[in-house]
Amino acid sequence: METINNFCLFGDDNKEYGLESFTGKKVVLYFYPKDNTPGCTTEAVEFHMLKEEFEKLNTVVVGVSKDSLASHLKFKEKHQFSHLLLVDDNLDMMKSLDIYGEKNMYGKITLGVKRTTILLDEQGKIIKRWNNVKAAGHAQKVVDFIKSL
């Protein structure tokens, strides 16, 4: 089973997080391009709406983007969701997982964050990876997959 490298990223609560922060729980790491954009807002709100479902499945949901702490705080406040957002402003984690790089946007090749979700087991090993995620309905697909385990 594939693993991810440990990381040290700041959360929107100004605390540092790494893999050990989530030991004993499954972790949904959803990587998204930018706070307060339509797709990213849809995705974040849908994960929030299913928070109780994830908790029943011993799973924590964590959003990761390159946006600043201040941006994350405004994003959460505006849309009133409560799950943790991590700041990967130097893109180290996203580059190591091939989440930041070339992507095709309406036929134009650009550099950016590829909307991706990674599910980790209780020991931090990758159970599943979703690439090129479509935001609407994705959170429910993740819940359904975890229930099927």
Side-chain angles (χ1 to χ4, degrees):
M1 202 179 284
E2 189 183 352
T3 59
I4 68 170
N5 295 331
N6 199 4
F7 55 88
C8 183
L9 298 177
F10 272 98
D12 56 48
D13 57 1
N14 214 21
K15 294 179 184 170
E16 286 187 347
Y17 288 87
L19 281 176
E20 69 282 351
S21 306
F22 307 106
T23 302
K25 294 189 179 289
K26 289 181 199 70
V27 182
V28 172
L29 289 171
Y30 75 93
F31 297 86
Y32 64 98
K34 189 153 180 55
D35 292 340
N36 280 307
T37 56
C40 299
T41 299
T42 296
E43 188 174 24
V45 169
E46 288 185 9
F47 273 116
H48 169 73
M49 300 298 283
L50 293 168
K51 185 176 182 181
E52 285 183 19
E53 290 287 321
F54 283 108
E55 288 173 351
K56 287 178 194 170
L57 298 165
N58 192 37
T59 304
V60 62
V61 173
V62 180
V64 184
S65 85
K66 60 185 179 72
D67 292 309
S68 68
L69 178 63
S71 177
H72 280 348
L73 292 172
K74 287 179 194 166
F75 185 37
K76 285 181 75 163
E77 185 179 324
K78 181 176 179 180
H79 300 288
Q80 299 186 334
F81 59 87
S82 56
H83 57 272
L84 180 66
L85 297 180
L86 298 179
V87 176
D88 187 14
D89 54 356
N90 60 13
L91 305 170
D92 286 345
M93 184 180 191
M94 288 189 264
K95 285 179 178 176
S96 75
L97 294 166
D98 193 32
I99 290 168
Y100 184 86
E102 283 188 0
K103 60 183 190 173
N104 191 335
M105 194 97 159
Y106 308 112
K108 182 181 177 195
I109 304 296
T110 61
L111 274 182
V113 177
K114 300 177 247 182
R115 191 181 306 276
T116 306
T117 300
I118 296 175
L119 174 63
L120 305 175
D121 70 9
E122 292 82 353
Q123 290 75 44
K125 295 196 178 1
I126 297 173
I127 299 172
K128 174 124 174 99
R129 178 179 173 129
W130 290 266
N131 295 312
N132 303 313
V133 167
K134 303 290 180 242
H138 176 62
Q140 185 63 57
K141 289 177 185 167
V142 176
V143 165
D144 293 345
F145 178 82
I146 296 169
K147 285 180 178 177
S148 78
L149 295 175

